[in-house]
Amino acid sequence: MTSSFLIRQARVLDGTGAPWFESDVLVQDGRIAAIGRGLVAADANVVDAAGHYLAPGFIDVHTHDEFAQLRDPDRSEKVFQGVTTVVTGNCGFSLFPALPGGKAAVQELNASLHGPIDGNEILQDCTQFRQRLADAPAAINTIAQVGHGSLRASVMGFTDRAASPAEMEQMAELLRQQLRQGACGLSLGLMYSPSMYAPREELVSLARVVAQCDALLTVHLRDYSSRLLESLNEFLSIVAEARCKALVSHLQVTGHNNWGAMPIALARLEAARRQGIDVSFDMYPYLAGSTSILQLLPTHWQSEGAEGILRRLENPLECEALHAWLEKTDNDSSKVIQIGWDSIWIGDAASPDFQDAQGKSLRELAALRGADDPFPLFVALIQASRGQASVILFQQEEQDLNLALGHRLHMVGSDSIPRCQGHVHPRIYGSFPRFVRKAMDGQDGALEDGIRRITSLPAQRFGLWDRGIIRTGAIADLVLFSQAVADLATFELPRRFPQGIDTVWVAGETILRANEPTGKHPGQLLFSPQPHSPMTEGAL
């Protein structure tokens, strides 16, 4: 049981979007016990918060932190940002479920995004994930989604075909089991293999399971460039048919020729809500994204997994065809055509042969190595890393990004992909202070609304009814920060902690005090197993 403490004279941003107000806040036994001026609590430790803002703990709604929660329970890069809860299992990637015959495929899928993964890090189900987190708790809380890519890979590998009726039922039942065990929803990764091969019938069927379990459906859309609106309409039609709650992941417009389309995408989401579709979206506050190097390849190359890709790269004719595909001027599916080799940076090379390449564009690397064409180095990097290298893609435009970040349906998701080595994206270390700083420097009311969209709005979206808000009885996930809050991580120096986050509490336990970690690990998997219910049964 945590001791009581009294936060004095804080500028309280309660998470609702209401103007801040000066108040004391009393915390007892992990929950907010009282709010008001001049509170008295004889036995409580006093925290002087004069001149500081007190907000609910920040909720990172889009991460790939599932392995980091187990590997690095201190989670310093999140704690220093004021993050108290992370949502994992996004874009179709999750470390469970893994049937015995599909474990290797699930491992290969996740390694393409996270880099090298040990086989014992791939888990049978959500129950095993819960146990791992209980055995070695993290400093911050976890919300787990089921990745559709992992679900499909576990049942049928990377194959490019429709699931059979038996495979459909197996995936549906496996999904039900995870949702009953405490997973909060299903994430689709329709730009990644093997999710990209799922026909509409499969996606609707699984979305109906999500709806039956009152869970959430999230999506990495099939395309964020020239086919953004088409991809958005595809997802919204699935959501409408299944009648489930929905979240569009990292809504953005990529590729020079497509910039300026964000108003159309936002209008489509608003229209969907007027039609009764319960949808919102997340996005990180950066113009560049990060992903697996394999995402630069055409979809038909990915149906046999990394090993199939490596075999293709050994064939000179296949390589020649790939080169032509990447450089074909009317190919709007090619990142090389969309943004150019100079806007594709190498993150984690995942190979000792390319350590000097990390943090450089493929164009820059080619010049340093005396080559005119980056393509041979691109192929060599895939081969050396066995498809596990990461890239950073500068592919957005500032006006589109700012429109998304300022929209009422927006929540911040860092899209962090923590890797122990290599050149990472600065969003891992700076997303939330960067967003708060932008809100603080914005027009009147921007700070309060910005805090709402990283606290109570994500809490509502994910069903955390006693978190994300400062009110009597709520769980005391809290962050105290000053007016100096700012991110310091850059694309050149991405592993720098922010400034201005003073103290962070999770369920009343102090995990950061005076900008110093305390070493406490009160985090837990937030959703509890659900009892068997006939409402979650039924044919697809």
Side-chain angles (χ1 to χ4, degrees):
M1 199 69 73
T2 57
S3 59
S4 62
F5 58 92
L6 181 61
I7 303 171
R8 285 240 183 251
Q9 293 184 303
R11 296 176 179 178
V12 176
L13 293 156
D14 65 6
T16 66
W20 67 263
F21 59 94
E22 186 174 296
S23 181
D24 302 341
V25 176
L26 176 64
V27 174
Q28 292 178 331
D29 299 330
R31 291 184 179 267
I32 297 171
I35 303 169
R37 291 194 177 197
L39 294 180
V40 176
D43 298 329
N45 296 319
V46 175
V47 177
D48 181 7
H52 284 62
Y53 292 100
L54 182 70
F58 303 152
I59 300 171
D60 191 344
V61 301
H62 187 105
T63 81
H64 297 278
D65 289 4
E66 47 267 33
F67 293 98
Q69 288 289 88
L70 298 174
R71 294 172 177 174
D72 177 25
D74 289 340
R75 298 312 317 278
S76 298
E77 79 281 9
K78 290 296 169 79
V79 171
F80 274 90
Q81 294 184 66
V83 172
T84 56
T85 299
V86 293
V87 180
T88 65
N90 282 286
C91 301
F93 296 86
S94 60
L95 45 65
F96 68 86
L99 298 173
K103 184 173 182 178
V106 176
Q107 181 178 351
E108 180 180 323
L109 171 67
N110 281 278
S112 70
L113 186 70
H114 292 274
I117 292 171
D118 193 273
N120 66 13
E121 294 182 289
I122 300 301
L123 307 181
Q124 177 180 338
D125 53 22
C126 188
T127 295
Q128 191 175 13
F129 188 37
R130 180 187 301 280
Q131 189 58 54
R132 290 279 181 94
L133 289 169
D135 292 343
I140 59 178
N141 298 313
T142 307
I143 297 174
Q145 295 178 94
V146 182
H148 174 246
S150 295
L151 184 72
R152 199 173 209 263
S154 185
V155 171
M156 50 189 298
F158 290 92
T159 183
D160 179 3
R161 64 170 174 81
S164 68
E167 289 167 335
M168 291 264 287
E169 181 53 43
Q170 189 175 17
M171 282 190 280
E173 181 54 32
L174 197 54
L175 174 59
R176 282 192 198 96
Q177 291 171 5
Q178 309 318 303
L179 297 176
R180 288 177 188 152
Q181 291 172 10
C184 76
L186 174 69
S187 75
L188 306 177
L190 301 182
M191 196 181 284
Y192 294 98
S193 172
S195 284
M196 65 171 66
Y197 305 128
R200 176 185 170 81
E201 180 185 7
E202 176 182 324
L203 300 176
V204 171
S205 296
L206 294 174
R208 283 175 174 153
V209 174
V210 170
Q212 290 162 4
C213 295
D214 192 26
L216 181 69
L217 185 68
T218 69
V219 68
H220 182 128
L221 295 172
R222 242 177 248 285
D223 189 87
Y224 289 90
S225 55
S226 62
R227 292 179 292 278
L228 171 61
L229 190 60
E230 175 187 334
S231 299
L232 190 57
N233 284 332
E234 175 194 26
F235 178 62
L236 292 174
S237 71
I238 291 167
V239 172
E241 187 169 343
R243 301 183 61 82
C244 60
K245 300 173 290 188
L247 175 66
V248 176
S249 297
H250 39 60
L251 182 64
Q252 58 193 277
V253 180
T254 64
H256 303 159
N257 293 336
N258 308 303
W259 290 349
M262 184 59 73
I264 300 172
L266 295 175
R268 181 66 188 93
L269 289 176
E270 290 287 11
R273 290 194 65 85
R274 289 193 295 273
Q275 294 162 3
I277 299 174
D278 185 1
V279 64
S280 50
F281 71 93
D282 66 62
M283 183 54 193
Y284 44 84
Y286 295 88
L287 291 172
S290 182
T291 187
S292 163
I293 195 170
L294 300 183
Q295 275 304 289
L296 303 181
L297 300 174
T299 58
H300 66 272
W301 271 60
Q302 301 180 47
S303 61
E304 298 178 22
E307 292 304 316
I309 290 169
L310 294 172
R311 284 194 299 272
R312 282 178 177 264
L313 292 176
E314 292 295 328
N315 185 329
L317 293 178
E318 292 268 28
C319 277
E320 184 179 344
L322 174 62
H323 195 181
W325 183 86
L326 286 169
E327 300 279 4
K328 188 178 180 183
T329 55
D330 62 349
N331 178 12
D332 61 4
S333 295
S334 167
K335 288 293 183 187
V336 175
I337 297 303
Q338 286 183 21
I339 60 176
W341 290 113
D342 54 341
S343 295
I344 302 170
W345 286 25
I346 300 167
D348 179 9
S351 166
D353 297 337
F354 283 87
Q355 293 302 299
D356 64 324
Q358 296 177 145
K360 297 180 177 65
S361 75
L362 280 162
R363 176 76 70 190
E364 181 183 3
L365 179 63
L368 289 172
R369 296 196 177 185
D372 294 327
D373 185 1
F375 177 75
L377 286 170
F378 168 65
V379 171
L381 177 56
I382 294 175
Q383 292 173 321
S385 69
R386 302 200 65 78
Q388 295 180 5
S390 66
V391 290
I392 297 171
L393 306 173
F394 292 83
Q395 57 187 355
Q396 301 169 59
E397 183 265 340
E398 192 164 3
Q399 186 173 359
D400 280 334
L401 176 63
N402 287 336
L403 284 171
L405 296 181
H407 195 271
R408 71 186 188 97
L409 299 178
H410 165 259
M411 295 169 275
V412 174
S414 68
D415 200 7
S416 56
I417 310 172
R419 290 198 180 201
C420 299
Q421 301 177 352
H423 197 90
V424 297
H425 194 300
R427 65 192 181 187
I428 298 174
Y429 286 76
S431 286
F432 286 81
R434 184 181 184 89
F435 180 75
V436 172
R437 179 76 264 159
K438 286 173 69 72
M440 195 175 282
D441 292 342
Q443 61 188 8
D444 292 345
L447 176 60
E448 288 85 350
D449 184 60
I451 294 299
R452 177 187 69 86
R453 290 188 284 117
I454 57 178
T455 58
S456 68
L457 182 60
Q460 177 268 329
R461 177 78 300 180
F462 285 89
L464 305 177
W465 304 114
D466 53 2
R467 283 181 163 88
I469 195 165
I470 295 179
R471 66 182 175 199
T472 303
I475 293 175
D477 291 354
L478 301 167
V479 56
L480 188 68
F481 62 93
S482 74
Q483 295 191 59
V485 65
D487 65 305
L488 301 178
T490 65
F491 285 100
E492 293 73 24
L493 296 170
R495 296 184 187 268
R496 298 175 68 187
F497 293 120
Q499 66 181 30
I501 304 294
D502 183 87
T503 308
V504 181
W505 296 269
V506 169
E509 291 278 1
T510 309
I511 61 172
L512 186 75
R513 179 186 293 115
N515 205 39
E516 290 291 334
T518 65
K520 293 183 177 179
H521 295 159
Q524 56 185 304
L525 187 66
L526 291 185
F527 285 84
S528 300
Q530 299 299 310
H532 174 84
S533 169
M535 291 183 64
T536 64
E537 297 295 332
L540 298 178

